[in-house]
Amino acid sequence: SLAKDDRLKPKPGRGCVTIFGYPLSIFFIVVNEFCERFSYYGMRAVLVLYFKYFLKWDDDFSTTIYHTFVALCYLTPILGAIIADSWLGKFKTIVYLSIVYAVGQVIMAVSAIHDITDGNKDGTPDNMTLHVALSMLGLLLIALGTGGIKPCVAAFGGDQFNEDQDKQRSTFFSIFYLSINAGSLLSTVITPILRAQKCGIHTQQQCYPLAFGVPAALMVVALVVFIVGSGMYNKTAPTGNIMVKVFKCISFAIKNRYRNRSSKIPKREHWMDWAEEKYDKLLIAQVKMVLKVLFLYIPLPMFWALFDQQGSRWTLQATTMDGNFGSMVIQPDQMQTVNPILILIMVPVVDFIIYPLISKCKLNFTPLRRMTVGMFLAALAFVAAALVQLQIDATLPDFPSSTEQQAKFINMVDRPIDITAGNNTFQLETFQSNKDYYTYDRPFELKIDTGSPVLISLPDGTRNTLVILEEAGQIRNIKVSVKVRSKSHVSLFQTFPRNSHMDFVLKCFLVTVCFGNIISKNMSTYVDVPQGTAEFLIKNAAGNQCVFSREFGFGSSYTFIIPPTFTLEENCGQHIKEVEDIKANSIHMAWQIPQYFLMTSGEVVFSVTGLEFSYSQAPSNMKSVLQAGWLLTVAVGNIIVLIVAEAATLPDQWAEYVLFAALLVLVCIIFAIMAYFYTYIDPAKIEGKFANLEPEDEKKKNLEVTKKDMVENHNEKRRKSSNSSSDEEETSQTNF
């Protein structure tokens, strides 16, 4: 009866224009998908760095919020599918949720404008709460939008073809998924470059508004392009969502089984058979097949827990590495482009070379075995990440714990001095500093030459520069505190990005310097300077000036001292003394390529095969249910990451990588056992057994339902006519 309902037939657009046998309408859908994927992946590429460097969140909290957002993006497709199939239809769902999506992207771009709350024009937002609130609102709308349209766009594209256009439909899906990868690849290259630019009204900062603004503009373009093609689309009215029907069938089976839990009632072959009183055998058989595959999905979230850390932990790891590639400087968030590039290379290599070679070796490399290998490769990728992290940790300073303090001393006296700081005794030449920071766990006494000791108390968890000045016959110290986190989470500062490969820190003394007026015998605050060669203009009140240039490495930190003998001459830089507070990052970002290669190899073997296996084992009308289940495993995987990031108390990042690798290996073993006992099925054959019920069975089933309804009606009549004559009651019984 549904097939005969004219309301459910596709509503053709104006003339159904075709080009080379393809509906013109698919052009708008492909362009829409490209722009939307550019918008999503472009925003997501710089998101974790935005959390860390703009909102000033630590690594763990940035990782938690990042994966919470990704989890929401993969939970909302279920909602979008239900809305499209049961209420609005695919076209209206895509339009309405794309509007929500675009608004969210615009809000994210606005939240990154530091000038809107920078009242004192110092480059730091005065009301960070507003920026956080706008960011969270924007991300919530984006998650609702991108997730809601995810299950609709590809299916809507498929609706544009007639039943006899299978070949054209197949080609469309290939072009469709090519547009997804193209949008992802271009966005992860371009948006980090945009972020690295400097912009601002009062002060020049990392240009997060531009990095979020361009994806927002692309999302608006995607929406406009999609609406422009409205008159050409075939629009199918909603027919009811199969997922809702499946859930109702499962719910009824559980309830019916609970109501008939008595040991006297005969058991049934499968617990889903308890739904036979209400649902036909074909639907029950289809649900059984779906549940069989969904059971295999249980271990899969662990793979996604590792895979999606490419955008969080691995990006944060890249900020502690050297990004110089010859004449090019690679941003840490640009390392994510390695994945889509390798995908484009490895998919054809695996399909046309690796798998045929394995087949020629007479190895039965089944889909489930491929998925097992993919999970193992992802675990190896995290082992590789742990090895890289160990090398990075060896080059990083030993930061203080939350109960310790660190201090370095600079001699600004015009003679060598002997210093005793706690249990440390050393001598400093004029305008020199000690090489390393000393660590203390309590206030210590500072003694200069033969003078009286002075008790020095420093804030816990900080690194401090103590500048020794001689003033009015007394020794005075000037303290610069840089708040850091505990030793267990190295490389995270709250006042400046220590390990940002594009920043370094500069401090100057004396008169007037390149970034503001500095009082004599005092110091500036740390300022951020782009990686590479930087030039600084130094001038005095008389207008005399000189230019000092210096090349800086990734993540380096320096203190520059302008001595009293300094003169504003042509080569003034040779008189400036420098103190290296933190060495530049020395481990190259190229060392991340092996872990990206292993992870991408695992993705190609795991993800592509997993979808292929799911579709081959799913009933013809329930592939969307398995697609929803597959997306749900991605969401659960991201939830696992945020739980581990908040709950784990591991002392080092490499240990966390090893933990994830070990968990995935354990899950891999469990999945391999489950796969060993799995029996492959042919859904078409199983459906064929129930496609047409025997006429007698159908009549019998209808008779039972009719009899049950008549009994209920008869009982109801008897209650209502309890005071009627015996003749009426007897007639009623006779009619029954």
Side-chain angles (χ1 to χ4, degrees):
S1 60
L2 292 178
K4 297 178 182 179
D5 193 339
D6 291 337
R7 294 175 301 169
L8 302 182
K9 294 181 180 179
K11 297 179 181 179
R14 293 190 296 266
C16 294
V17 182
T18 62
I19 298 179
F20 301 112
Y22 293 88
L24 181 61
S25 57
I26 66 171
F27 167 79
F28 298 94
I29 296 173
V30 169
V31 173
N32 166 271
E33 184 66 12
F34 170 82
C35 294
E36 188 276 327
R37 289 292 86 186
F38 186 105
S39 176
Y40 174 73
Y41 283 108
M43 177 277 303
R44 182 172 147 176
V46 300
L47 188 59
V48 74
L49 298 185
Y50 170 74
F51 290 157
K52 179 174 181 178
Y53 295 131
F54 187 91
L55 298 183
K56 307 299 182 182
W57 292 346
D58 62 42
D59 283 8
D60 285 347
F61 193 62
S62 299
T63 300
T64 297
I65 299 301
Y66 174 87
H67 287 283
T68 301
F69 166 70
V70 176
L72 285 174
C73 291
Y74 284 94
L75 284 173
T76 49
I78 298 176
L79 177 63
I82 294 174
I83 292 174
D85 291 342
S86 304
W87 182 24
L88 295 178
K90 298 183 186 71
F91 175 76
K92 289 183 179 180
T93 300
I94 294 172
V95 171
Y96 294 159
L97 291 182
S98 291
I99 294 173
V100 173
Y101 193 167
V103 171
Q105 289 281 34
V106 171
I107 292 175
M108 276 299 298
V110 172
S111 73
I113 303 175
H114 64 275
D115 290 306
I116 61 176
T117 61
D118 187 11
N120 55 9
K121 302 178 182 180
D122 64 349
T124 303
D126 300 329
N127 186 1
M128 191 62 76
T129 303
L130 175 62
H131 291 274
V132 172
L134 287 175
S135 300
M136 296 303 100
L137 175 61
L139 290 177
L140 182 61
L141 295 178
I142 292 171
L144 179 61
T146 187
I149 68 175
K150 191 185 294 290
C152 300
V153 180
F156 187 69
D159 290 344
Q160 307 310 305
F161 296 88
N162 298 325
E163 294 181 0
D164 59 347
Q165 292 182 299
D166 290 340
K167 184 178 180 181
Q168 290 89 337
R169 184 186 290 109
S170 177
T171 304
F172 160 73
F173 282 120
S174 297
I175 298 173
F176 182 83
Y177 288 111
L178 178 63
S179 70
I180 293 176
N181 284 284
S184 169
L185 177 60
L186 289 177
S187 64
T188 50
V189 171
I190 294 173
T191 52
I193 295 175
L194 299 177
R195 175 198 55 77
Q197 306 304 307
K198 297 290 184 179
C199 63
I201 300 174
H202 307 303
T203 57
Q204 298 292 299
Q205 304 288 340
Q206 295 285 314
C207 204
Y208 289 103
L210 183 61
F212 290 140
V214 171
L218 263 292
M219 190 59 225
V220 173
V221 171
L223 175 60
V224 172
V225 169
F226 186 76
I227 293 176
V228 167
S230 174
M232 303 179 187
Y233 298 139
N234 288 328
K235 302 171 186 176
T236 304
T239 60
N241 189 271
I242 188 64
M243 284 189 292
V244 175
K245 194 172 184 179
V246 169
F247 291 147
K248 288 182 177 180
C249 182
I250 294 174
S251 176
F252 179 80
I254 294 173
K255 291 178 181 178
N256 196 31
R257 177 67 184 91
Y258 180 76
R259 286 195 295 263
N260 296 276
R261 61 186 181 275
S262 173
S263 58
K264 298 180 180 179
I265 300 176
K267 294 183 178 180
R268 301 186 182 181
E269 184 178 353
H270 192 282
W271 62 272
M272 275 302 303
D273 292 333
W274 290 97
E276 290 181 351
E277 281 80 354
K278 186 174 181 181
Y279 296 93
D280 60 75
K281 293 183 178 181
L282 175 59
L283 176 63
I284 295 173
Q286 291 171 331
V287 172
K288 288 179 182 178
M289 288 185 279
V290 168
L291 292 176
K292 188 176 181 181
V293 177
L294 290 179
F295 177 72
L296 282 176
Y297 280 4
I298 294 175
L300 303 191
M302 201 65 222
F303 173 86
W304 300 113
L306 277 68
F307 178 82
D308 277 336
Q309 290 190 60
Q310 293 176 93
S312 56
R313 290 298 195 194
W314 285 14
T315 299
L316 293 172
Q317 184 187 61
T319 64
T320 65
M321 305 177 77
D322 181 5
N324 268 315
F325 282 80
S327 59
M328 294 190 305
V329 176
I330 302 298
Q331 306 294 334
D333 33 8
Q334 281 183 312
M335 285 301 294
Q336 298 176 54
T337 61
V338 175
N339 176 257
I341 292 173
L342 288 176
I343 283 287
L344 295 176
I345 296 172
M346 294 184 66
V347 167
V349 169
V350 170
D351 283 344
F352 299 113
I353 299 177
I354 304 298
Y355 288 160
L357 286 176
I358 293 175
S359 179
K360 286 186 177 182
C361 294
K362 307 299 181 181
L363 296 175
N364 187 19
F365 201 35
T366 63
L368 292 180
R369 290 177 182 176
R370 295 179 191 177
M371 294 175 66
T372 304
V373 171
M375 297 169 76
F376 183 71
L377 289 173
L380 287 181
F382 263 61
V383 172
L387 294 176
V388 171
Q389 189 64 47
L390 283 171
Q391 297 302 313
I392 294 172
D393 291 348
T395 66
L396 295 178
D398 187 17
F399 294 113
S401 69
S402 58
T403 59
E404 295 177 331
Q405 318 91 41
Q406 289 183 340
K408 175 182 280 192
F409 304 88
I410 299 178
N411 178 17
M412 290 296 291
V413 183
D414 58 358
R415 57 181 173 80
I417 58 176
D418 295 319
I419 299 177
T420 301
N423 297 325
N424 304 300
T425 300
F426 50 95
Q427 186 181 69
L428 287 182
E429 297 294 327
T430 302
F431 308 128
Q432 297 293 324
S433 75
N434 51 305
K435 183 178 180 180
D436 299 316
Y437 282 85
Y438 293 110
T439 302
Y440 303 93
D441 58 4
R442 63 177 64 90
F444 61 91
E445 289 188 344
L446 175 64
K447 182 180 179 182
I448 309 298
D449 292 332
T450 58
S452 302
V454 178
L455 185 66
I456 302 296
S457 180
L458 302 174
D460 289 337
T462 60
R463 305 191 103 193
N464 304 270
T465 300
L466 296 174
V467 182
I468 310 302
L469 299 169
E470 189 169 21
E471 191 172 279
Q474 296 181 349
I475 298 296
R476 190 186 85 178
N477 77 82
I478 296 179
K479 179 180 67 178
V480 176
S481 298
V482 182
K483 188 73 174 179
V484 301
R485 289 195 52 193
S486 65
K487 189 184 300 182
S488 61
H489 297 276
V490 299
S491 80
L492 193 131
F493 283 69
Q494 293 181 353
T495 56
F496 66 92
R498 140 73 185 97
N499 288 318
S500 171
H501 71 286
M502 60 289 192
D503 296 328
F504 88 106
V505 178
L506 177 72
K507 296 185 294 186
C508 299
F509 291 88
L510 265 177
V511 222
T512 302
V513 292
C514 47
F515 35 82
N517 296 327
I518 304 298
I519 302 173
S520 180
K521 295 185 179 181
N522 211 321
M523 64 179 64
S524 73
T525 58
Y526 282 102
V527 295
D528 298 339
V529 179
Q531 182 272 341
T533 301
E535 293 185 346
F536 305 94
L537 179 67
I538 305 176
K539 62 182 180 180
N540 59 18
N544 300 321
Q545 62 185 35
C546 74
V547 176
F548 162 57
S549 63
R550 174 70 157 78
E551 185 170 347
F552 300 98
F554 291 84
S556 56
S557 172
Y558 290 89
T559 296
F560 288 96
I561 302 171
I562 302 178
T565 57
F566 176 80
T567 57
L568 293 170
E569 57 187 29
E570 184 176 352
N571 297 321
C572 60
Q574 61 185 347
H575 302 294
I576 296 177
K577 308 291 183 180
E578 73 175 43
V579 176
E580 185 179 61
D581 295 331
I582 301 175
K583 294 182 178 180
N585 302 339
S586 58
I587 305 299
H588 204 276
M589 284 186 193
W591 284 106
Q592 279 196 322
I593 293 178
Q595 65 200 56
Y596 273 101
F597 175 79
L598 288 168
M599 182 60 75
T600 305
S601 301
E603 179 190 7
V604 170
V605 179
F606 175 88
S607 183
V608 176
T609 306
L611 287 172
E612 176 188 341
F613 164 78
S614 300
Y615 274 55
S616 70
Q617 299 294 291
S620 57
N621 65 334
M622 293 195 180
K623 299 187 187 297
S624 62
V625 178
L626 288 182
Q627 177 69 17
W630 183 266
L631 296 175
L632 186 61
T633 65
V634 181
V636 175
N638 282 272
I639 293 173
I640 291 173
V641 178
L642 65 93
I643 291 174
V644 173
E646 287 298 313
T649 57
L650 298 173
D652 299 293
Q653 183 58 53
W654 67 264
E656 183 179 294
Y657 289 145
V658 172
L659 172 62
F660 275 108
L663 289 174
L664 185 55
V665 169
L666 177 62
V667 168
C668 184
I669 294 172
I670 296 173
F671 181 77
I673 296 172
M674 294 169 64
Y676 179 79
F677 291 101
Y678 182 84
T679 303
Y680 290 84
I681 60 174
D682 185 350
K685 289 184 178 180
I686 296 177
E687 288 178 310
K689 296 178 181 179
F690 300 95
N692 296 306
L693 288 174
E694 293 291 335
E696 294 79 5
D697 293 341
E698 186 70 26
K699 291 179 180 179
K700 182 179 179 181
K701 185 175 182 179
N702 291 335
L703 181 61
E704 290 176 352
V705 172
T706 303
K707 184 177 179 180
K708 181 179 179 181
D709 291 341
M710 292 177 67
V711 170
E712 291 178 352
N713 292 335
H714 171 66
N715 291 337
E716 182 66 22
K717 288 181 180 179
R718 291 190 64 182
R719 284 192 295 269
K720 290 182 179 180
S721 58
S722 57
N723 297 325
S724 300
S725 65
S726 59
D727 292 340
E728 291 177 343
E729 184 174 353
E730 186 175 324
T731 302
S732 174
Q733 293 174 355
T734 304
N735 290 337
F736 171 70

